[in-house]
Amino acid sequence: MADAATSPQRQVTATALGPWPGQDPVEATRIIRGELGTPHLPFLAELPDRGVGADAVGRTASLLVEMAVDVQPHGWRIVDRPGRDLIRARSALSTDINVLADVAGEEDGQAAAEFKVQLRGPLSLAAGLHLHNGERALIDYGARRDIAASLAAGVGEHLTRVSAAVPGARLVVQLDEPDIASVLAGTIPTSSGYRTLRSVAGQEVTELWRVVIDAVRSAGAAEVTVAVPEIEAPFDRILAAGADGIAVPLKALTSRQWEQLAEAVEAGKRIWAGALRVDNPAAELPRVADIVDTVRRPWQQLGLPLTELGTLRITPSGGLEGHTPKAATAVLTRLTQAADGLNQLALG
């Protein structure tokens, strides 16, 4: 099993979560690869401003095998046969991978050693897809399992195409589960909005994650991380499912959550620390020293040695789709600066 210790570098690296402003995949790819060269982690940009099919749910749903979707007024719906919405989503993703291959092929010098793709995780995907009757697929046990199995079956071809676009790069997969706290708590609203769906048992969540994580790893991913919000984040479930790391914003973590992250570090897992707040795109970026301190203080309070900071990846606290391309680029620059600062601490 891959873990932080098997990474090609033992140093703090920077990346972002995937969503990016604008509609131009060429511009986005060039900026991201330019800012996040080795040792950092460039990624396949998601451009939701492009519209239907470029959103996170539609993008991941386009990978499902033997399960078609289209868009209805209430959102993405599982249907019997592919329609124009699914074709549009697949086309956009294919374009992005082709652009990646072109941009990577034009680069001079050493290519980035790693590359990341993001997928909506099976539970949040089930919360974002609807059945024929308009209800969320999350309501149905069989539908939840079918979605996880279908996603697991579809990731192989996707990762093969990405790998061919960046030959030799170590592939990293980020599974996004933004709705997981509500899934576990039973607070996802029904389609009518008058009640909520029953909670999904924690053991089932672990099992469905394991289905997808195992498939992603079998398809060639060297590292698999599950990204969750900090509120009620189920770190134990993520690790039990076999993930190599946890991605989480730091802004509201409790002392107990920090202790759980420390245990994960001691177990050889990698933490992706959302240390740069981006909730307000108009706000001035924090100083490098302040970002470094956001990590260093709790790290040392837990008794973790600074030499272990190399298990970290530094990320924004959320997606950058609400920023301008210039502001999003500045975020990447500040992240790499923060990573440098943390590496200096780690080296003493």
Side-chain angles (χ1 to χ4, degrees), residues 11-346:
Q11 59 183 305
V12 183
T13 55
T15 191
L17 298 178
W20 191 261
Q23 302 182 31
D24 185 350
V26 176
E27 177 192 51
T29 301
R30 285 179 173 156
I31 290 172
I32 290 165
R33 292 186 68 79
E35 293 292 326
L36 298 177
T38 299
H40 303 295
L41 181 60
F43 55 93
L44 192 64
E46 298 173 0
L47 302 171
D49 286 349
R50 283 192 292 185
V52 173
D55 59 291
V57 171
R59 197 168 170 88
T60 300
S62 74
L63 303 176
L64 297 175
V65 171
E66 296 183 355
M67 186 176 289
V69 295
D70 70 5
V71 175
Q72 297 294 312
H74 50 263
W76 286 95
R77 181 185 66 170
I78 299 171
V79 293
D80 295 328
R81 61 183 62 86
R84 63 181 180 180
D85 297 322
L86 180 56
I87 292 170
R88 183 175 177 179
R90 287 174 174 168
S91 176
L93 185 54
S94 181
T95 295
D96 291 350
I97 296 173
N98 291 338
V99 164
L100 171 64
D102 292 343
V103 172
E106 294 169 356
E107 291 172 349
D108 296 325
Q110 183 181 2
E114 299 184 296
F115 191 76
K116 174 171 73 77
V117 296
Q118 307 80 224
L119 301 171
R120 186 57 57 105
L123 281 307
S124 295
L125 187 59
L129 294 177
H130 297 259
L131 302 173
H132 288 276
N133 62 6
E135 194 50 84
R136 296 177 189 273
L138 188 71
I139 197 172
D140 184 86
Y141 172 80
R144 297 194 296 266
R145 299 200 72 81
D146 288 347
I147 288 169
S150 181
L151 179 58
V155 295
E157 181 180 352
H158 179 53
L159 293 188
T160 296
R161 291 197 62 199
V162 172
S163 184
V166 284
R170 177 180 185 269
L171 284 188
V172 178
V173 174
Q174 170 190 318
L175 292 178
D176 292 322
E177 288 284 9
D179 300 319
I180 194 60
S182 298
V183 168
L184 287 164
T187 57
I188 297 278
T190 59
S191 58
S192 68
Y194 292 121
R195 59 188 182 89
T196 57
L197 303 181
R198 291 179 60 182
S199 61
V200 177
Q203 184 58 39
E204 183 186 343
V205 168
T206 301
E207 290 170 358
L208 295 183
W209 278 343
R210 187 179 293 120
V211 166
V212 177
I213 289 170
D214 288 350
V216 165
R217 189 168 284 121
S218 296
E223 181 180 337
V224 187
T225 287
V226 179
V228 292
E230 70 276 23
I231 306 302
E232 302 296 329
F235 297 152
D236 55 340
R237 295 285 171 199
I238 294 173
L239 300 180
D244 302 305
I246 297 167
V248 64
L250 302 187
K251 54 189 175 184
L253 286 181
T254 65
S255 297
R256 174 57 187 147
Q257 286 177 312
W258 270 109
E259 290 168 3
Q260 290 176 310
L261 292 178
E263 291 167 5
V265 169
E266 290 168 348
K269 302 299 181 178
R270 172 163 253 163
I271 306 304
W272 295 25
L276 197 168
R277 293 190 65 164
V278 291
D279 343 43
N280 180 5
E284 186 175 342
L285 288 177
R287 297 183 310 146
V288 172
D290 292 336
I291 301 171
V292 169
D293 240 28
T294 298
V295 177
R296 181 196 59 77
R297 273 200 317 273
W299 194 267
Q300 289 188 301
Q301 287 168 358
L302 289 166
L304 289 169
L306 292 178
T307 53
E308 288 299 307
L309 284 169
T311 60
L312 288 175
R313 293 195 193 275
I314 299 297
T315 78
S317 62
L320 300 176
E321 67 274 31
H323 291 58
T324 64
K326 181 179 178 180
T329 303
V331 168
L332 298 189
T333 302
R334 189 57 51 90
L335 287 169
T336 60
Q337 292 168 342
D340 289 344
L342 288 164
N343 279 319
Q344 290 173 18
L345 284 178

